[in-house]
PDB file of all heavy atoms in Angstrom:
ATOM      1  N   LEU A1289     -62.834  65.775 -64.197  1.00  0.00           N
ATOM      2  CA  LEU A1289     -63.163  67.168 -64.545  1.00  0.00           C
ATOM      3  C   LEU A1289     -62.978  67.462 -66.075  1.00  0.00           C
ATOM      4  O   LEU A1289     -63.802  68.165 -66.639  1.00  0.00           O
ATOM      5  CB  LEU A1289     -62.251  68.113 -63.644  1.00  0.00           C
ATOM      6  CG  LEU A1289     -62.580  68.170 -62.263  1.00  0.00           C
ATOM      7  CD1 LEU A1289     -61.544  69.042 -61.540  1.00  0.00           C
ATOM      8  CD2 LEU A1289     -64.008  68.673 -61.966  1.00  0.00           C
ATOM      9  N   LEU A1290     -61.943  66.952 -66.625  1.00  0.00           N
ATOM     10  CA  LEU A1290     -61.675  67.190 -68.057  1.00  0.00           C
ATOM     11  C   LEU A1290     -62.664  66.408 -68.963  1.00  0.00           C
ATOM     12  O   LEU A1290     -62.796  66.790 -70.136  1.00  0.00           O
ATOM     13  CB  LEU A1290     -60.206  66.784 -68.451  1.00  0.00           C
ATOM     14  CG  LEU A1290     -59.128  67.610 -67.849  1.00  0.00           C
ATOM     15  CD1 LEU A1290     -57.763  67.100 -68.161  1.00  0.00           C
ATOM     16  CD2 LEU A1290     -59.275  69.076 -68.253  1.00  0.00           C
ATOM     17  N   MET A1291     -63.287  65.460 -68.398  1.00  0.00           N
ATOM     18  CA  MET A1291     -64.358  64.754 -69.191  1.00  0.00           C
ATOM     19  C   MET A1291     -65.663  65.377 -69.193  1.00  0.00           C
ATOM     20  O   MET A1291     -66.631  65.030 -69.967  1.00  0.00           O
ATOM     21  CB  MET A1291     -64.542  63.253 -68.708  1.00  0.00           C
ATOM     22  CG  MET A1291     -63.345  62.357 -68.970  1.00  0.00           C
ATOM     23  SD  MET A1291     -63.605  60.702 -68.265  1.00  0.00           S
ATOM     24  CE  MET A1291     -65.043  60.137 -69.130  1.00  0.00           C
ATOM     25  N   LEU A1292     -65.804  66.487 -68.422  1.00  0.00           N
ATOM     26  CA  LEU A1292     -67.072  67.225 -68.330  1.00  0.00           C
ATOM     27  C   LEU A1292     -67.306  67.965 -69.655  1.00  0.00           C
ATOM     28  O   LEU A1292     -66.241  68.474 -70.219  1.00  0.00           O
ATOM     29  CB  LEU A1292     -67.056  68.191 -67.157  1.00  0.00           C
ATOM     30  CG  LEU A1292     -67.075  67.600 -65.782  1.00  0.00           C
ATOM     31  CD1 LEU A1292     -66.909  68.715 -64.718  1.00  0.00           C
ATOM     32  CD2 LEU A1292     -68.265  66.748 -65.483  1.00  0.00           C
ATOM     33  N   ALA A1294     -68.200  70.884 -70.098  1.00  0.00           N
ATOM     34  CA  ALA A1294     -67.736  72.334 -70.002  1.00  0.00           C
ATOM     35  C   ALA A1294     -66.271  72.435 -70.282  1.00  0.00           C
ATOM     36  O   ALA A1294     -65.749  73.544 -70.509  1.00  0.00           O
ATOM     37  CB  ALA A1294     -68.085  72.856 -68.609  1.00  0.00           C
ATOM     38  N   ALA A1295     -65.446  71.305 -70.196  1.00  0.00           N
ATOM     39  CA  ALA A1295     -64.082  71.378 -70.327  1.00  0.00           C
ATOM     40  C   ALA A1295     -63.586  71.374 -71.678  1.00  0.00           C
ATOM     41  O   ALA A1295     -62.565  71.778 -71.998  1.00  0.00           O
ATOM     42  CB  ALA A1295     -63.409  70.170 -69.609  1.00  0.00           C
ATOM     43  N   LYS A1296     -64.445  70.992 -72.630  1.00  0.00           N
ATOM     44  CA  LYS A1296     -64.144  71.011 -74.044  1.00  0.00           C
ATOM     45  C   LYS A1296     -64.637  72.194 -74.802  1.00  0.00           C
ATOM     46  O   LYS A1296     -65.711  72.617 -74.503  1.00  0.00           O
ATOM     47  CB  LYS A1296     -64.682  69.628 -74.755  1.00  0.00           C
ATOM     48  CG  LYS A1296     -64.127  69.447 -76.060  1.00  0.00           C
ATOM     49  CD  LYS A1296     -64.634  68.050 -76.649  1.00  0.00           C
ATOM     50  CE  LYS A1296     -64.145  67.863 -78.070  1.00  0.00           C
ATOM     51  NZ  LYS A1296     -64.750  66.597 -78.598  1.00  0.00           N
ATOM     52  N   ALA A1297     -63.872  72.713 -75.710  1.00  0.00           N
ATOM     53  CA  ALA A1297     -64.107  73.986 -76.365  1.00  0.00           C
ATOM     54  C   ALA A1297     -65.471  73.982 -77.076  1.00  0.00           C
ATOM     55  O   ALA A1297     -66.306  74.857 -76.957  1.00  0.00           O
ATOM     56  CB  ALA A1297     -63.036  74.368 -77.335  1.00  0.00           C
ATOM     57  N   ASN A1298     -65.773  72.916 -77.842  1.00  0.00           N
ATOM     58  CA  ASN A1298     -67.103  72.755 -78.540  1.00  0.00           C
ATOM     59  C   ASN A1298     -68.066  71.861 -77.864  1.00  0.00           C
ATOM     60  O   ASN A1298     -69.021  71.402 -78.487  1.00  0.00           O
ATOM     61  CB  ASN A1298     -66.737  72.273 -79.959  1.00  0.00           C
ATOM     62  CG  ASN A1298     -66.112  70.988 -79.910  1.00  0.00           C
ATOM     63  OD1 ASN A1298     -65.775  70.433 -78.900  1.00  0.00           O
ATOM     64  ND2 ASN A1298     -65.766  70.418 -81.191  1.00  0.00           N
ATOM     65  N   GLY A1301     -67.586  66.970 -74.282  1.00  0.00           N
ATOM     66  CA  GLY A1301     -66.717  66.190 -73.336  1.00  0.00           C
ATOM     67  C   GLY A1301     -65.655  65.450 -74.172  1.00  0.00           C
ATOM     68  O   GLY A1301     -65.802  64.914 -75.162  1.00  0.00           O
ATOM     69  N   ALA A1302     -64.475  65.358 -73.460  1.00  0.00           N
ATOM     70  CA  ALA A1302     -63.356  64.714 -74.029  1.00  0.00           C
ATOM     71  C   ALA A1302     -63.569  63.172 -73.752  1.00  0.00           C
ATOM     72  O   ALA A1302     -64.228  62.762 -72.963  1.00  0.00           O
ATOM     73  CB  ALA A1302     -62.068  65.170 -73.350  1.00  0.00           C
ATOM     74  N   SER A1303     -62.861  62.433 -74.528  1.00  0.00           N
ATOM     75  CA  SER A1303     -62.892  60.923 -74.348  1.00  0.00           C
ATOM     76  C   SER A1303     -62.116  60.549 -73.154  1.00  0.00           C
ATOM     77  O   SER A1303     -61.299  61.286 -72.701  1.00  0.00           O
ATOM     78  CB  SER A1303     -62.322  60.120 -75.618  1.00  0.00           C
ATOM     79  OG  SER A1303     -60.919  60.374 -75.618  1.00  0.00           O
ATOM     80  N   GLU A1306     -58.329  60.758 -73.793  1.00  0.00           N
ATOM     81  CA  GLU A1306     -57.775  62.187 -73.952  1.00  0.00           C
ATOM     82  C   GLU A1306     -57.708  62.806 -72.570  1.00  0.00           C
ATOM     83  O   GLU A1306     -56.790  63.590 -72.231  1.00  0.00           O
ATOM     84  CB  GLU A1306     -58.820  62.900 -74.831  1.00  0.00           C
ATOM     85  CG  GLU A1306     -58.745  62.549 -76.348  1.00  0.00           C
ATOM     86  CD  GLU A1306     -59.813  63.063 -77.192  1.00  0.00           C
ATOM     87  OE1 GLU A1306     -60.882  63.508 -76.586  1.00  0.00           O
ATOM     88  OE2 GLU A1306     -59.692  63.071 -78.354  1.00  0.00           O
ATOM     89  N   ALA A1307     -58.827  62.574 -71.756  1.00  0.00           N
ATOM     90  CA  ALA A1307     -58.783  63.235 -70.433  1.00  0.00           C
ATOM     91  C   ALA A1307     -57.754  62.748 -69.506  1.00  0.00           C
ATOM     92  O   ALA A1307     -56.990  63.443 -68.757  1.00  0.00           O
ATOM     93  CB  ALA A1307     -60.191  63.136 -69.766  1.00  0.00           C
ATOM     94  N   LEU A1308     -57.591  61.393 -69.491  1.00  0.00           N
ATOM     95  CA  LEU A1308     -56.580  60.687 -68.701  1.00  0.00           C
ATOM     96  C   LEU A1308     -55.193  61.198 -69.076  1.00  0.00           C
ATOM     97  O   LEU A1308     -54.313  61.411 -68.185  1.00  0.00           O
ATOM     98  CB  LEU A1308     -56.775  59.211 -68.808  1.00  0.00           C
ATOM     99  CG  LEU A1308     -55.684  58.331 -68.022  1.00  0.00           C
ATOM    100  CD1 LEU A1308     -55.739  58.664 -66.529  1.00  0.00           C
ATOM    101  CD2 LEU A1308     -55.906  56.916 -68.336  1.00  0.00           C
ATOM    102  N   THR A1310     -54.166  63.898 -70.668  1.00  0.00           N
ATOM    103  CA  THR A1310     -53.899  65.319 -70.270  1.00  0.00           C
ATOM    104  C   THR A1310     -53.858  65.574 -68.813  1.00  0.00           C
ATOM    105  O   THR A1310     -52.918  66.249 -68.388  1.00  0.00           O
ATOM    106  CB  THR A1310     -55.090  66.193 -70.862  1.00  0.00           C
ATOM    107  OG1 THR A1310     -55.073  65.988 -72.240  1.00  0.00           O
ATOM    108  CG2 THR A1310     -54.822  67.598 -70.625  1.00  0.00           C
ATOM    109  N   ALA A1311     -54.556  64.838 -68.043  1.00  0.00           N
ATOM    110  CA  ALA A1311     -54.599  65.025 -66.572  1.00  0.00           C
ATOM    111  C   ALA A1311     -53.270  64.427 -66.052  1.00  0.00           C
ATOM    112  O   ALA A1311     -52.562  65.100 -65.193  1.00  0.00           O
ATOM    113  CB  ALA A1311     -55.730  64.304 -65.954  1.00  0.00           C
ATOM    114  N   ILE A1321     -48.938  66.214 -75.038  1.00  0.00           N
ATOM    115  CA  ILE A1321     -50.343  66.261 -75.269  1.00  0.00           C
ATOM    116  C   ILE A1321     -50.827  65.509 -76.528  1.00  0.00           C
ATOM    117  O   ILE A1321     -49.971  65.277 -77.413  1.00  0.00           O
ATOM    118  CB  ILE A1321     -50.782  67.873 -75.610  1.00  0.00           C
ATOM    119  CG1 ILE A1321     -49.879  68.413 -76.757  1.00  0.00           C
ATOM    120  CG2 ILE A1321     -50.636  68.637 -74.287  1.00  0.00           C
ATOM    121  CD1 ILE A1321     -50.294  69.781 -77.146  1.00  0.00           C
ATOM    122  N   VAL A1323     -53.939  66.340 -77.726  1.00  0.00           N
ATOM    123  CA  VAL A1323     -54.878  67.258 -78.346  1.00  0.00           C
ATOM    124  C   VAL A1323     -54.288  68.720 -78.169  1.00  0.00           C
ATOM    125  O   VAL A1323     -53.531  68.942 -77.284  1.00  0.00           O
ATOM    126  CB  VAL A1323     -56.330  67.230 -77.743  1.00  0.00           C
ATOM    127  CG1 VAL A1323     -56.946  65.870 -78.021  1.00  0.00           C
ATOM    128  CG2 VAL A1323     -56.300  67.456 -76.184  1.00  0.00           C
ATOM    129  N   ASP A1324     -54.723  69.639 -79.007  1.00  0.00           N
ATOM    130  CA  ASP A1324     -54.166  70.956 -79.067  1.00  0.00           C
ATOM    131  C   ASP A1324     -54.769  71.715 -77.882  1.00  0.00           C
ATOM    132  O   ASP A1324     -55.983  72.016 -77.781  1.00  0.00           O
ATOM    133  CB  ASP A1324     -54.504  71.659 -80.355  1.00  0.00           C
ATOM    134  CG  ASP A1324     -53.664  72.896 -80.554  1.00  0.00           C
ATOM    135  OD1 ASP A1324     -53.013  73.316 -79.578  1.00  0.00           O
ATOM    136  OD2 ASP A1324     -53.743  73.557 -81.636  1.00  0.00           O
ATOM    137  N   THR A1325     -53.981  72.065 -76.941  1.00  0.00           N
ATOM    138  CA  THR A1325     -54.450  72.718 -75.633  1.00  0.00           C
ATOM    139  C   THR A1325     -55.306  73.916 -75.943  1.00  0.00           C
ATOM    140  O   THR A1325     -56.425  74.035 -75.352  1.00  0.00           O
ATOM    141  CB  THR A1325     -53.263  73.015 -74.752  1.00  0.00           C
ATOM    142  OG1 THR A1325     -52.570  71.840 -74.421  1.00  0.00           O
ATOM    143  CG2 THR A1325     -53.808  73.655 -73.450  1.00  0.00           C
ATOM    144  N   PRO A1326     -54.793  74.999 -76.728  1.00  0.00           N
ATOM    145  CA  PRO A1326     -55.664  76.145 -76.876  1.00  0.00           C
ATOM    146  C   PRO A1326     -56.905  75.976 -77.708  1.00  0.00           C
ATOM    147  O   PRO A1326     -57.849  76.786 -77.604  1.00  0.00           O
ATOM    148  CB  PRO A1326     -54.708  77.190 -77.496  1.00  0.00           C
ATOM    149  CG  PRO A1326     -53.740  76.283 -78.230  1.00  0.00           C
ATOM    150  CD  PRO A1326     -53.522  75.059 -77.469  1.00  0.00           C
ATOM    151  N   VAL A1327     -56.965  74.953 -78.534  1.00  0.00           N
ATOM    152  CA  VAL A1327     -58.032  74.687 -79.482  1.00  0.00           C
ATOM    153  C   VAL A1327     -59.106  73.722 -78.904  1.00  0.00           C
ATOM    154  O   VAL A1327     -60.298  73.985 -78.966  1.00  0.00           O
ATOM    155  CB  VAL A1327     -57.525  74.157 -80.859  1.00  0.00           C
ATOM    156  CG1 VAL A1327     -58.689  73.823 -81.789  1.00  0.00           C
ATOM    157  CG2 VAL A1327     -56.651  75.233 -81.535  1.00  0.00           C
ATOM    158  N   PHE A1328     -58.588  72.655 -78.258  1.00  0.00           N
ATOM    159  CA  PHE A1328     -59.471  71.654 -77.869  1.00  0.00           C
ATOM    160  C   PHE A1328     -60.190  71.931 -76.493  1.00  0.00           C
ATOM    161  O   PHE A1328     -61.307  71.597 -76.397  1.00  0.00           O
ATOM    162  CB  PHE A1328     -58.607  70.335 -77.675  1.00  0.00           C
ATOM    163  CG  PHE A1328     -59.450  69.131 -77.367  1.00  0.00           C
ATOM    164  CD1 PHE A1328     -59.958  68.331 -78.335  1.00  0.00           C
ATOM    165  CD2 PHE A1328     -59.667  68.678 -75.966  1.00  0.00           C
ATOM    166  CE1 PHE A1328     -60.788  67.207 -78.117  1.00  0.00           C
ATOM    167  CE2 PHE A1328     -60.431  67.552 -75.755  1.00  0.00           C
ATOM    168  CZ  PHE A1328     -60.903  66.859 -76.694  1.00  0.00           C
ATOM    169  N   TRP A1329     -59.411  72.529 -75.608  1.00  0.00           N
ATOM    170  CA  TRP A1329     -59.917  72.712 -74.223  1.00  0.00           C
ATOM    171  C   TRP A1329     -60.552  74.132 -74.146  1.00  0.00           C
ATOM    172  O   TRP A1329     -60.022  75.093 -74.637  1.00  0.00           O
ATOM    173  CB  TRP A1329     -58.926  72.597 -73.152  1.00  0.00           C
ATOM    174  CG  TRP A1329     -58.266  71.133 -73.110  1.00  0.00           C
ATOM    175  CD1 TRP A1329     -56.961  70.917 -73.511  1.00  0.00           C
ATOM    176  CD2 TRP A1329     -58.874  70.010 -72.772  1.00  0.00           C
ATOM    177  NE1 TRP A1329     -56.757  69.617 -73.399  1.00  0.00           N
ATOM    178  CE2 TRP A1329     -57.886  68.988 -72.893  1.00  0.00           C
ATOM    179  CE3 TRP A1329     -60.073  69.648 -72.321  1.00  0.00           C
ATOM    180  CZ2 TRP A1329     -58.102  67.679 -72.678  1.00  0.00           C
ATOM    181  CZ3 TRP A1329     -60.363  68.255 -72.016  1.00  0.00           C
ATOM    182  CH2 TRP A1329     -59.405  67.352 -72.202  1.00  0.00           C
ATOM    183  N   SER A1330     -61.632  74.180 -73.367  1.00  0.00           N
ATOM    184  CA  SER A1330     -62.300  75.490 -73.099  1.00  0.00           C
ATOM    185  C   SER A1330     -61.559  76.294 -72.046  1.00  0.00           C
ATOM    186  O   SER A1330     -60.580  75.733 -71.542  1.00  0.00           O
ATOM    187  CB  SER A1330     -63.770  75.297 -72.643  1.00  0.00           C
ATOM    188  OG  SER A1330     -63.782  74.585 -71.412  1.00  0.00           O
ATOM    189  N   GLY A1331     -61.991  77.466 -71.719  1.00  0.00           N
ATOM    190  CA  GLY A1331     -61.372  78.167 -70.657  1.00  0.00           C
ATOM    191  C   GLY A1331     -61.448  77.395 -69.295  1.00  0.00           C
ATOM    192  O   GLY A1331     -60.425  77.401 -68.529  1.00  0.00           O
ATOM    193  N   PHE A1332     -62.556  76.760 -69.045  1.00  0.00           N
ATOM    194  CA  PHE A1332     -62.596  75.865 -67.817  1.00  0.00           C
ATOM    195  C   PHE A1332     -61.638  74.762 -67.830  1.00  0.00           C
ATOM    196  O   PHE A1332     -61.009  74.498 -66.847  1.00  0.00           O
ATOM    197  CB  PHE A1332     -64.122  75.340 -67.657  1.00  0.00           C
ATOM    198  CG  PHE A1332     -64.230  74.290 -66.607  1.00  0.00           C
ATOM    199  CD1 PHE A1332     -64.213  74.765 -65.295  1.00  0.00           C
ATOM    200  CD2 PHE A1332     -64.396  72.957 -66.872  1.00  0.00           C
ATOM    201  CE1 PHE A1332     -64.397  73.765 -64.257  1.00  0.00           C
ATOM    202  CE2 PHE A1332     -64.456  71.980 -65.923  1.00  0.00           C
ATOM    203  CZ  PHE A1332     -64.454  72.451 -64.531  1.00  0.00           C
ATOM    204  N   GLY A1333     -61.509  74.106 -69.030  1.00  0.00           N
ATOM    205  CA  GLY A1333     -60.604  73.032 -69.141  1.00  0.00           C
ATOM    206  C   GLY A1333     -59.161  73.480 -68.961  1.00  0.00           C
ATOM    207  O   GLY A1333     -58.353  72.826 -68.287  1.00  0.00           O
ATOM    208  N   GLN A1334     -58.827  74.651 -69.452  1.00  0.00           N
ATOM    209  CA  GLN A1334     -57.509  75.193 -69.247  1.00  0.00           C
ATOM    210  C   GLN A1334     -57.155  75.554 -67.794  1.00  0.00           C
ATOM    211  O   GLN A1334     -56.090  75.419 -67.310  1.00  0.00           O
ATOM    212  CB  GLN A1334     -57.259  76.441 -70.127  1.00  0.00           C
ATOM    213  CG  GLN A1334     -57.302  76.096 -71.744  1.00  0.00           C
ATOM    214  CD  GLN A1334     -57.299  77.293 -72.508  1.00  0.00           C
ATOM    215  OE1 GLN A1334     -57.188  78.470 -72.090  1.00  0.00           O
ATOM    216  NE2 GLN A1334     -57.552  77.112 -73.806  1.00  0.00           N
ATOM    217  N   ILE A1337     -56.462  72.351 -65.988  1.00  0.00           N
ATOM    218  CA  ILE A1337     -55.015  71.983 -66.344  1.00  0.00           C
ATOM    219  C   ILE A1337     -54.022  72.739 -65.521  1.00  0.00           C
ATOM    220  O   ILE A1337     -53.115  72.242 -64.988  1.00  0.00           O
ATOM    221  CB  ILE A1337     -54.700  72.080 -67.879  1.00  0.00           C
ATOM    222  CG1 ILE A1337     -55.590  71.070 -68.673  1.00  0.00           C
ATOM    223  CG2 ILE A1337     -53.260  71.924 -68.228  1.00  0.00           C
ATOM    224  CD1 ILE A1337     -55.507  71.304 -70.155  1.00  0.00           C
ATOM    225  N   PHE A1437     -46.770  73.124 -70.820  1.00  0.00           N
ATOM    226  CA  PHE A1437     -48.030  73.457 -71.447  1.00  0.00           C
ATOM    227  C   PHE A1437     -48.072  74.894 -71.862  1.00  0.00           C
ATOM    228  O   PHE A1437     -47.623  75.720 -71.208  1.00  0.00           O
ATOM    229  CB  PHE A1437     -49.272  73.232 -70.469  1.00  0.00           C
ATOM    230  CG  PHE A1437     -49.690  71.817 -70.282  1.00  0.00           C
ATOM    231  CD1 PHE A1437     -49.100  70.918 -69.390  1.00  0.00           C
ATOM    232  CD2 PHE A1437     -50.628  71.272 -71.151  1.00  0.00           C
ATOM    233  CE1 PHE A1437     -49.569  69.678 -69.187  1.00  0.00           C
ATOM    234  CE2 PHE A1437     -51.101  69.930 -71.000  1.00  0.00           C
ATOM    235  CZ  PHE A1437     -50.483  69.080 -70.082  1.00  0.00           C
TER     236      PHE A1437
END
Side-chain angles (χ1 to χ4, degrees):
L1289 291 174
L1290 292 177
M1291 288 178 64
L1292 296 175
K1296 191 176 178 183
N1298 57 2
S1303 70
E1306 291 169 339
L1308 175 62
T1310 303
I1321 54 175
V1323 294
D1324 192 354
T1325 302
V1327 175
F1328 186 87
W1329 300 110
S1330 65
F1332 171 75
Q1334 293 171 8
I1337 292 172
F1437 279 88

